[in-house]
Amino acid sequence: MLDLNVRLISILGVLTVIVLAGLTLDYLGKFRQRIRLGLWVAILGIAAGSLFTLMAVLPEGKFYGPVFSEVKTSKKVVALTFDDGPYPPYTGEILDILKENNVPATFFVVGRNAEKYPELLRRMAEEGHQVGNHSYSHMDLLKADRNTIAQEVDRTSAIIRNITGNLPVLVRPPHGFRDPLVMEMMAQRNLCVVEWSVASRDWTNPGVQQIVEQTLAKTKNGAIILLHDGDGIEQKASRQQTVAAVRLIIKGLKEKGYTFVTVGEILKPEE
Ligand SMILES: [Zn+2]
């Protein structure tokens, strides 16, 4: 792990200077004995920059600290997760389907949307679902300073606690993006950072069949499945495809013998 306060942007800034220095030295013909040292420094700098960025955006990247994208287990359990809501009428429709099928899920809610639709949050809690923190305004935390990150996270946790009575223990940073500072601030708040192992790009509305097929094909034991009942803070896009897909995903996974648990449950160590 890196120094706790490092930002991805600072790492990339330092690497850019190293790359430029390497290229300049190569251009000037310095250190060009048996190998072109300057050029190699520049190439390694670019590779390192790509790697540091990938670790911040790939759901399974653990370089900046512990994140959970799936769980290794021999049990046929999976966790459905829904991001960006609550967002009527879709969140309510998804809650209806989950209830009909007796399936618990985890909702990573946007604080601003939760404030608008507290009754949907209450319903999630009452019907046995877990509610996690997905920031207040769905901001890319890589671009936010320390104070803004604190506000985004703390305000949302307080809203969730006020409505449901429970302080969230899970967080999913918007887009899953994190760097050392983001990870450190989540750890200080005892928030477990949850990513995902199955994504169907349902947020692009690629068609119900596509969402269902992608999800069923990628799901394994211990999978954390990413879906969207909301649409950031804009709340413009339809989530009708996701609603229709959820019904078929539950049916398909049940037929394959899977049972559904919340993220909190799936993360518990096996007895
Ligand atoms: Zn989101």
Side-chain angles (χ1 to χ4, degrees), residues 83-84 134 138 174-175 228:
D83 286 12
D84 297 2
H134 196 45
H138 206 262
H175 318 289
H228 292 77

Side-chain angles (χ1 to χ4, degrees), residues 27-177:
Y27 176 74
L28 295 175
K30 306 268 183 207
F31 305 114
R32 278 201 197 181
Q33 285 90 22
R34 287 170 61 198
I35 54 160
R36 293 170 69 176
L37 194 59
L39 184 66
W40 277 104
V41 166
I43 290 170
L44 285 175
I46 292 167
S50 312
L51 216 63
F52 281 121
T53 306
L54 280 175
M55 289 300 109
V57 304
L58 283 181
E60 63 273 21
K62 292 184 175 57
F63 185 71
Y64 297 128
V67 300
F68 295 91
S69 57
E70 63 184 334
V71 176
K72 297 265 172 285
T73 173
S74 55
K75 293 184 190 158
K76 297 208 83 169
V77 289
V78 293
L80 288 179
T81 67
F82 296 94
D83 286 12
D84 297 2
Y87 177 29
Y90 312 107
T91 305
E93 291 171 1
I94 288 171
L95 284 168
D96 291 342
I97 296 169
L98 296 172
K99 196 175 183 180
E100 274 168 44
N101 289 280
N102 204 15
V103 164
T106 305
F107 289 85
F108 288 97
V109 300
V110 170
R112 209 159 118 176
N113 301 341
E115 256 175 354
K116 274 202 227 164
Y117 308 108
E119 67 287 355
L120 283 167
L121 239 74
R122 263 191 292 276
R123 196 178 155 197
M124 287 170 192
E126 276 166 18
E127 295 180 3
H129 306 296
Q130 188 168 15
V131 180
N133 186 325
H134 196 45
S135 84
Y136 183 75
S137 57
H138 206 262
M139 175 183 269
D140 174 357
L141 299 183
L142 296 179
K143 294 179 185 157
D145 63 19
R146 180 185 280 274
N147 283 341
T148 312
I149 298 171
Q151 274 176 23
E152 285 279 325
V153 175
D154 295 341
R155 200 168 167 189
T156 304
S157 284
I159 292 166
I160 295 172
R161 191 199 50 215
N162 289 342
I163 301 172
T164 68
N166 291 317
L167 201 60
V169 293
L170 307 177
V171 66
R172 176 174 280 159
H175 318 289
F177 296 171

